């Protein structure tokens, strides 16, 4: 009893069901951190993409020139993210339909549809894995509690089989059980924080996508009706 | 210009999230968890020594030392012995000092005598050359003796030092043996406690008190047992005055026998604690 309560020793000495809980929780924690870091990269790239593309778009550059730059980037094996994809989809469809010289409203409709499709594809890319983060945030606490309950139950069963119950029998079991809740919280807290943060960023980015596609279609509208 | 720099930054980020950044995220997550693991281990190893210090003295052990008259007796004897030893050592030290003083005095006397004799020699030098030589020889011999004495004294001192050292080692060994004995006694105490608790519990379960039982009644039974836990006999050493109550206590013991838990005890523990055992029966939870 004199070696104190080493968390790692407690984990190794725990009963099999509680050890299983520990294992699940540690894996969950690692997975949630993988998602947190990966989403952080993707979402910050999207946010910066919005900013830089808007700058280029409103700098007065010719739209055809902008489109060609994007094609060049694709040829250089660079990924095109977010808003630029929406722009490219709308512009491509607009040019294609205008060359076929169909009715003006049909051209506008086609371009808007293409932008909507591109928008939902982009949104899907950004939202990916976020539900997993939410699930980890809410469930791993319960998994930890499950481990705690099982651990305390085992401890009381062990006491029942002893003639004289002493705190020395009780304490390691309870500590082991509480460790399960601690690890559950350790996995849950970052997941919840990251989920809230990322859904706010997601809202911000997608609303700027929608605004942009509206603005862009109004530009296209102006262009098609001026000629 | 600024749009150009932003464009470049965008490219850098683009390069970072090739494969959507999965390999990078896996590395970061694993590093993070490993770091936490290492920190926990480090903190544990840092605090380990402190916890050991804190946990060492448990209350049960201290209680036991106070309560066991045998150990207390032994400790008292030991303490007395150590005290005597210390006094003996002090006495020896004092004797040695006295001896040293005496020798020193002697040496001084001799020195004075020698000077006096030299004086005489100088006065008698003119008188008697032979006498002088004889005296010189005598002096040399005395010096030789003195030197021998000094050597002897040194040897004696070394001998005493060695003895003291051996005594100290013996005391340390004894202290260690004593600690081991105390540890064994403590284990024995725990065994006895749990066995007593078991017997008490079993007897209590089998005891049905007669309606005539009153608070304040007290029956003491002396039971004798075999190492197998079987009951040899039961005698009433102190009656409660109510025959029915005495009988119920006796019956409870007979019904609870044999105490098979005693089989697992070491025979020495059994012999010293359970061969004959006193059980006290008193109903103190009755309403009237």
């Amino acid at each position: 009893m004199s070696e104190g309560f080493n968390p790692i020793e407690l984990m190794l000495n725990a009963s099999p069901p509680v050890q299983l809980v520990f294992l699940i929780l540690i894996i969950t924690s690692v997975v949630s951190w993988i998602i947190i870091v990966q989403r952080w990269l993707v979402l910050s790239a999207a946010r910066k993409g919005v900013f830089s593309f808007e700058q280029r778009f409103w700098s007065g550059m010719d739209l055809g020139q902008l489109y060609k730059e994007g094609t060049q980037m694709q040829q250089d094996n660079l990924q095109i993210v977010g808003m630029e994809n929406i722009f490219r989809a709308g512009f491509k469809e607009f040019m294609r339909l205008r060359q076929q010289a169909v009715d003006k409203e049909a051209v506008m409709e086609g371009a808007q549809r293409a932008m909507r499709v591109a928008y939902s594809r982009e949104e899907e890319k950004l939202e990916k894995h976020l539900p997993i983060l939410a699930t980890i945030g809410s469930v791993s606490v319960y998994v930890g509690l499950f481990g705690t309950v099982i651990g305390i139950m085992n401890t009381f069963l062990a006491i029942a089989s002893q003639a004289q119950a002493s705190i020395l029998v009780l304490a390691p079991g309870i500590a082991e059980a509480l460790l399960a809740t601690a690890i559950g919280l350790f996995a849950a807290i970052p997941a919840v924080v990251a989920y809230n943060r990322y859904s706010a960023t997601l809202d911000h980015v997608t609303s700027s996508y929608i605004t942009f596609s509206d603005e862009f279609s109004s530009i296209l509208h102006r262009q098609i009706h001026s000629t | 210009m600024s749009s150009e720099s932003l464009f470049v930054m965008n490219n850098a980020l683009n390069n970072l999230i090739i494969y959507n950044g999965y390999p990078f995220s896996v590395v970061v997550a694993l590093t993070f968890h490993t770091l936490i693991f290492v920190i926990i281990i480090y903190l544990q190893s840092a605090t380990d020594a402190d916890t050991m210090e804190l946990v060492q003295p448990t209350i049960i052990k201290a209680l036991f030392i106070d309560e066991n008259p045998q150990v207390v007796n032994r400790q008292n004897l030991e303490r007395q012995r150590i005290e005597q030893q210390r006094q003996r050592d002090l006495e020896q030290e004092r004797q040695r000092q006295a001896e040293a003083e005496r020798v020193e005095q002697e040496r001084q006397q001799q020195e004075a005598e020698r000077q006096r004799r030299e004086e005489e020699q100088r006065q008698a030098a003119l008188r008697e050359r032979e006498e002088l030589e004889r005296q010189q020889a005598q002096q040399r011999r005395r010096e030789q003796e003195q030197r021998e004495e000094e050597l002897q004294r040194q040897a004696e001192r070394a001998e005493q030092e060695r003895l003291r050292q051996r005594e100290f080692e013996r005391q340390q060994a004894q202290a260690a043996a004593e600690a081991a004995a105390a540890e064994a006694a403590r284990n024995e105490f725990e065994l006895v406690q749990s066995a007593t608790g078991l017997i008490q519990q079993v007897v209590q379960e089998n005891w049905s008190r007669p309606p005539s039982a009153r608070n304040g009644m007290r029956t003491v039974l002396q039971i004798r047992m075999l190492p197998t836990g079987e009951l040899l006999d039961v005698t009433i050493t102190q009656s409660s005055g109510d025959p029915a109550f005495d009988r119920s206590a006796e019956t409870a013991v007979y019904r609870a026998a044999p105490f098979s838990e005693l089989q697992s005890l070491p025979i020495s523990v059994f012999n010293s604690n359970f061969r004959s055992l006193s059980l006290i029966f008193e109903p103190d939870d009755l309403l009237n």
Side-chain angles (χ1 to χ4, degrees):
Chain A
M1 211 49 45
S2 61
E3 72 259 22
F5 292 122
N6 189 335
I8 287 135
E9 241 163 65
L10 276 182
M11 265 190 230
L12 295 179
N13 294 334
S15 57
V18 182
Q19 266 179 339
L20 187 69
V21 168
F22 283 141
L23 190 68
I24 291 173
L25 286 175
I26 289 170
I27 290 172
T28 311
S29 174
V30 171
V31 168
S32 88
W33 274 93
I34 289 173
I35 294 173
I36 287 169
V37 175
Q38 195 263 341
R39 281 296 96 185
W40 177 72
L41 291 175
V42 168
L43 285 171
S44 58
R47 218 174 45 215
K48 289 204 176 93
V50 167
F51 190 61
S52 70
F53 183 74
E54 273 190 333
Q55 287 241 321
R56 283 160 64 209
F57 187 81
W58 298 112
S59 65
M61 194 191 271
D62 179 39
L63 292 185
Q65 179 64 29
L66 200 57
Y67 184 79
K68 266 184 216 140
E69 262 180 18
T71 318
Q72 186 60 41
M73 271 169 70
Q74 259 178 340
Q75 277 167 359
D76 292 349
N77 268 334
L78 289 176
Q79 267 188 325
I80 290 178
V81 287
M83 205 177 259
E84 194 165 0
N85 268 334
I86 298 172
F87 161 75
R88 287 175 63 79
F91 192 73
K92 201 182 187 177
E93 191 68 17
F94 178 76
M95 293 309 271
R96 195 184 291 157
L97 287 174
R98 211 163 65 151
Q99 271 164 13
Q100 288 166 5
V102 281
D103 164 39
K104 284 177 180 175
E105 287 310 309
V107 171
M108 277 313 297
E109 236 172 66
Q112 275 170 354
R113 196 165 42 240
M115 283 197 285
R116 248 197 324 274
V117 170
Y119 164 75
S120 47
R121 207 167 282 149
E122 285 304 314
E123 194 187 23
E124 199 181 303
K125 262 193 230 164
L126 294 181
E127 275 180 347
K128 209 170 152 196
H129 299 320
L130 278 189
I132 299 179
L133 221 50
T135 311
I136 288 174
S138 53
V139 167
S140 64
V141 179
Y142 296 124
V143 175
L145 276 179
F146 173 74
T148 299
V149 170
I150 295 282
I152 291 184
M153 217 168 78
N154 282 342
T155 310
F156 279 121
L157 287 178
I159 293 169
S161 66
Q162 292 231 331
Q164 285 185 315
S166 78
I167 195 71
L168 291 183
V169 184
L170 201 65
I174 301 283
E176 162 207 314
L178 290 179
L179 190 62
T181 306
I183 295 181
L185 289 174
F186 174 76
I189 291 168
V192 171
V193 170
Y195 178 74
N196 289 336
R197 176 97 188 86
Y198 292 165
S199 32
T201 312
L202 183 73
D203 275 352
H204 171 75
V205 171
T206 50
S207 73
S208 59
Y209 284 177
I210 289 172
T211 317
F212 170 75
S213 59
D214 283 349
E215 280 169 345
F216 184 48
S217 60
S218 79
I219 288 173
L220 290 180
H221 193 266
R222 221 179 299 141
Q223 199 169 13
I224 203 168
H225 283 285
S226 65
T227 49
Chain B
M1 200 58 208
S2 72
S3 84
E4 192 61 29
S5 72
L6 270 166
F7 188 61
V8 169
M9 192 167 72
N10 197 13
N11 279 357
L13 261 169
N14 247 325
N15 288 335
L16 189 64
I17 62 165
I18 282 177
Y19 312 116
N20 287 323
Y22 282 114
F24 177 71
S25 341
V26 171
V27 169
V28 168
L30 288 178
T31 313
F32 174 70
H33 284 86
T34 316
L35 206 69
I36 287 176
F37 192 75
V38 168
I39 287 172
I40 287 176
I41 288 183
Y42 174 73
L43 289 180
Q44 198 54 46
S45 63
T47 55
D48 239 2
D50 298 346
T51 42
M52 267 170 118
E53 294 279 321
L54 281 175
V55 170
Q56 199 67 46
T58 53
I59 295 160
I60 293 174
K61 289 172 181 177
L63 265 178
F64 169 63
I65 287 169
D66 289 345
E67 278 180 359
N68 192 326
Q70 237 176 349
V71 168
V72 170
N73 219 4
R74 219 179 301 141
Q75 275 178 341
N76 280 341
L77 278 175
E78 182 65 19
R79 218 174 296 135
Q80 276 172 8
R81 205 185 53 70
I82 288 170
E83 181 64 25
Q84 279 172 1
Q85 183 68 35
R86 207 167 55 77
Q87 273 176 358
R88 220 178 302 141
D89 283 355
L90 272 172
E91 186 63 32
Q92 272 177 1
E93 178 73 18
R94 222 174 295 136
Q95 275 175 3
R96 203 166 52 75
Q97 272 175 357
E99 178 75 15
E101 268 170 30
R102 200 175 54 73
V103 168
E104 178 66 22
Q105 247 173 8
E106 222 168 76
R107 206 182 54 75
Q108 275 174 356
Q109 276 174 3
Q110 278 172 359
E111 182 71 21
E113 199 175 338
R114 194 173 58 79
Q115 276 173 357
R116 193 170 51 79
R117 216 169 286 141
E118 270 175 7
E119 191 66 27
E120 278 173 11
Q121 256 176 8
R122 226 177 291 129
Q123 284 172 358
L126 301 168
R127 283 206 315 261
E128 198 93 33
R129 184 170 284 258
E130 288 90 13
E131 182 66 20
L132 177 86
E133 273 174 358
R134 200 170 52 76
Q135 274 185 354
Q136 271 176 346
Q138 204 175 8
Q139 191 189 343
R140 259 202 304 278
R141 207 181 41 208
R142 211 171 289 126
E143 273 174 2
Q144 178 73 18
E145 271 171 13
Q146 223 168 0
R147 220 173 301 130
E148 270 170 12
E149 201 175 350
E150 179 68 27
L151 272 173
Q152 204 179 349
R153 211 158 22 152
Q154 270 176 359
E156 245 170 55
R157 213 176 295 144
E159 175 69 16
Q160 269 180 349
E161 184 64 33
R162 210 162 47 77
L163 274 174
R164 203 142 21 100
Q165 183 67 23
R166 209 184 298 149
E167 179 64 22
F168 178 67
E169 274 166 14
R170 202 175 57 78
Q171 276 178 5
Q172 268 189 340
Q174 227 163 22
E178 200 188 321
E183 181 66 32
R186 219 170 287 149
N187 285 341
E188 185 184 322
F189 173 70
E190 274 159 22
L191 277 176
V192 170
Q193 277 264 307
S194 79
T196 319
L198 278 169
I199 291 173
Q200 207 175 351
Q201 197 186 335
V202 176
V203 171
Q204 241 165 27
E205 277 168 12
N206 285 299
W207 186 27
S208 57
R209 282 165 293 197
S212 57
R214 291 290 176 272
N215 276 343
M217 281 186 175
R218 183 184 163 93
T219 301
V220 181
L221 299 186
Q222 178 87 26
I223 64 174
R224 293 200 300 132
M225 285 180 285
L226 292 178
T228 57
E230 276 169 84
L231 195 63
L232 265 187
D233 61 11
V234 179
T235 49
I236 301 170
T237 50
Q238 187 191 327
S239 169
S240 65
D242 180 13
F245 188 80
D246 293 350
R247 219 166 25 247
S248 80
E250 221 174 337
T251 317
V253 176
Y254 276 120
R255 246 192 259 158
F259 304 99
S260 50
E261 299 84 9
L262 297 180
Q263 282 173 11
S264 58
L265 288 179
I267 188 69
S268 59
V269 178
F270 178 85
N271 279 339
S272 55
N273 295 286
F274 292 109
R275 197 157 277 285
S276 129
L277 187 71
S278 286
L279 289 177
I280 301 167
F281 289 76
E282 44 187 3
D284 47 3
D285 53 348
L286 294 176
L287 285 175
N288 49 357

